[in-house]
Amino acid sequence: MASSSSSLTETRSPELRKDPINNRWVIFSPARAKRPSDFKSKFSENQNSNSSSPCPFCIGNEHHCAPEIFRVPSNLNVDWKIRVIQNLYPALSRDIDGEKDGEISGGFPGRVVPGFGFHDVVIEAPVHSVNLLDLDPTEVGEVLLAYKKRIEQIKERDLIKYVQVFKNHGPSAGASLSHSHSQILALPVVPPTVSARLYSLKEYFDQTGKCGLCEVQPKDLLIDETSYFTSIAPFAATFPFEIWIIPRYHSSHFHDLDSEKATDLGGLLKLMLRKMSMQLNNPPFNFMIHSSPLEVTEAQLPYSHWYLQIVPKLIGVAGFEIGTGCYINPVFPEDAAKVLREVAVN
Ligand code: AMP
Ligand code: ZN
Ligand code: ZN
């Protein structure tokens, strides 16, 4: 009998289920319910909750963390600058048989895939008060190269189809711990937003013979640019002050980044985070690296192009957005680009 029909117990393995009506995958993950939140403790200070528990990500507290995958530098005799560790409360499990097919119980049409995957945490700095935007461009570049290294390790695993790198900063952007960190979630399916993006880029390519992201002419949407990257407010930004950082060279996969480009991107990412912080009063934010599925065909290569999206959390997602998948953005991207272009960072 499939695990989907078993009773609700602590020991259930995660699994992915596809909603065939909305064409959407959902991860069911019992372990997620157990994760702590140090923001919760701040909100309930009077109740003397877990505010005294040490931050597991601080240097010296490594024994409070799930196992380490690697650190930078790798030499154990010097202090680490970056650690890539397993997530203690992973959404997907690296320890289950991903080949075993599930069955559907009950009368709902759908698909079940075992919740096999990797969910890692990247601790971006050893010191609690240091944020990504405080690092220098080379150090931000080293964080990006840590993502690259981990993706390259994961891509050796047959069943993994897509790797999502993302950062949550601030409680309303989904962060449960305040120490600067990001996450890497490797999935056994290609998420629908990735397939939809590839499909749109293919349509553009079929019509024009060109890659839609190579063709971006930022004009009044430009915020800044470097040797290898452009930062813009996207033409149809979903969220106010949303920023995209796009490679100016054609590249399907983020993990093809070399160290020169990583430092270049590190500088631009730092600049965008600083501008956003100064202009928008240190808002909560998310960033996501939108890469291509690990396997792309020869035919898909000419139109698949990765980029990094930064979204400050300024407005909520509510009934309309949930109901329609459409978003209401009160700020025109031309105006957002002008403001971000002009804000001076010292
Ligand atoms: P966020 O919730 O975005 O702040 O990301 C923090 C992540 O760290 C969450 O996904 C937690 O599950 C994970 N986490 C919390 N405590 C630990 C720990 N001691 N070791 C490893 N991962 C942890
Ligand atoms: Zn800390
Ligand atoms: Zn391109």
Side-chain angles (χ1 to χ4, degrees):
M1 186 49 86
S3 60
S4 54
S5 64
S6 59
S7 63
L8 268 180
T9 65
E10 294 273 273
T11 53
R12 288 190 66 189
S13 298
E15 74 182 15
L16 283 78
R17 296 183 188 177
K18 190 169 189 186
D19 171 351
I21 292 131
N22 293 296
N23 194 24
R24 204 164 28 211
W25 284 95
V26 180
I27 300 172
F28 290 88
S29 169
R32 298 295 289 164
K34 292 185 275 178
R35 70 193 177 132
S37 166
D38 65 4
F39 291 109
K40 266 190 211 139
S41 66
K42 276 184 198 144
F43 290 129
S44 53
E45 274 165 356
N46 294 342
Q47 289 154 26
N48 196 20
S49 62
N50 63 349
S51 56
S52 60
S53 54
C55 167
F57 296 168
C58 275
I59 191 159
N61 290 344
E62 294 80 1
H63 54 288
H64 288 294
C65 289
E68 179 174 304
I69 299 164
F70 64 83
R71 60 173 60 190
V72 182
S74 55
N75 182 351
L76 292 175
N77 296 319
V78 298
D79 283 350
W80 56 267
K81 292 171 77 179
I82 299 164
R83 287 209 317 135
V84 179
I85 62 169
Q86 295 184 17
N87 194 312
L88 193 55
Y89 309 96
L92 295 172
S93 170
R94 66 194 76 215
D95 301 318
I96 59 173
D97 181 359
E99 300 276 5
K100 219 176 75 196
D101 255 335
E103 292 165 29
I104 306 294
S105 61
F108 207 80
R111 238 182 98 191
V112 180
V113 165
F116 169 74
F118 298 89
H119 190 174
D120 304 329
V121 177
V122 179
I123 307 173
E124 298 157 351
V127 176
H128 197 82
S129 57
V130 173
N131 282 310
L132 195 59
L133 53 67
D134 301 316
L135 303 180
D136 68 34
T138 321
E139 291 171 324
V140 180
E142 284 173 340
V143 172
L144 300 168
L145 291 172
Y147 300 158
K148 169 193 164 92
K149 178 172 170 178
R150 185 60 187 138
I151 297 168
E152 282 177 336
Q153 291 175 344
I154 289 171
K155 87 177 172 39
E156 297 308 314
R157 303 294 296 249
D158 281 348
L159 291 171
I160 299 300
K161 303 275 191 296
Y162 189 75
V163 183
Q164 182 65 59
V165 176
F166 63 101
K167 178 174 173 69
N168 304 328
H169 172 86
S172 61
S176 54
L177 294 174
S178 54
H179 191 122
S180 197
H181 66 280
S182 31
Q183 297 180 64
I184 300 174
L185 190 36
L187 299 158
V189 295
V190 175
T193 54
V194 179
S195 312
R197 188 168 68 245
L198 264 185
Y199 184 77
S200 299
L201 285 166
K202 179 183 185 306
E203 277 200 323
Y204 184 86
F205 184 76
D206 288 345
Q207 285 160 14
T208 64
K210 291 176 177 151
C211 161
L213 281 155
C214 283
E215 282 299 288
V216 167
Q217 303 287 330
K219 296 186 183 149
D220 52 355
L221 298 174
L222 181 75
I223 305 171
D224 210 323
E225 65 186 349
T226 60
S227 309
Y228 297 110
F229 295 91
T230 306
S231 60
I232 62 163
F235 173 71
T238 309
F239 301 100
F241 292 93
E242 174 181 343
I243 298 169
W244 287 10
I245 302 183
I246 308 171
R248 296 172 64 189
Y249 56 98
H250 184 72
S251 170
S252 301
H253 290 108
F254 165 79
H255 60 261
D256 289 337
L257 195 75
D258 64 21
S259 29
E260 184 185 347
K261 293 188 178 82
T263 303
D264 192 59
L265 175 57
L268 192 56
L269 177 56
K270 175 188 168 86
L271 182 67
M272 290 306 108
L273 296 180
R274 292 196 69 203
K275 280 177 175 263
M276 207 172 70
S277 174
M278 289 181 72
Q279 181 60 35
L280 305 173
N281 193 24
N282 187 23
F285 69 86
N286 303 101
F287 75 58
M288 285 71 54
I289 294 177
H290 297 296
S291 195
S292 302
L294 290 179
E295 258 184 46
V296 288
T297 63
E298 282 290 319
Q300 290 172 322
L301 276 175
Y303 58 80
S304 50
H305 190 135
W306 70 270
Y307 66 97
L308 187 154
Q309 177 193 24
I310 308 171
V311 179
K313 189 86 185 180
L314 303 172
I315 52 171
V317 168
F320 175 73
E321 290 81 4
I322 297 169
T324 61
C326 300
Y327 291 76
I328 301 168
N329 183 350
V331 182
F332 277 102
E334 302 79 306
D335 299 337
K338 183 171 190 303
V339 168
L340 290 170
R341 199 166 45 236
E342 290 174 0
V343 58
V345 286
N346 38 36

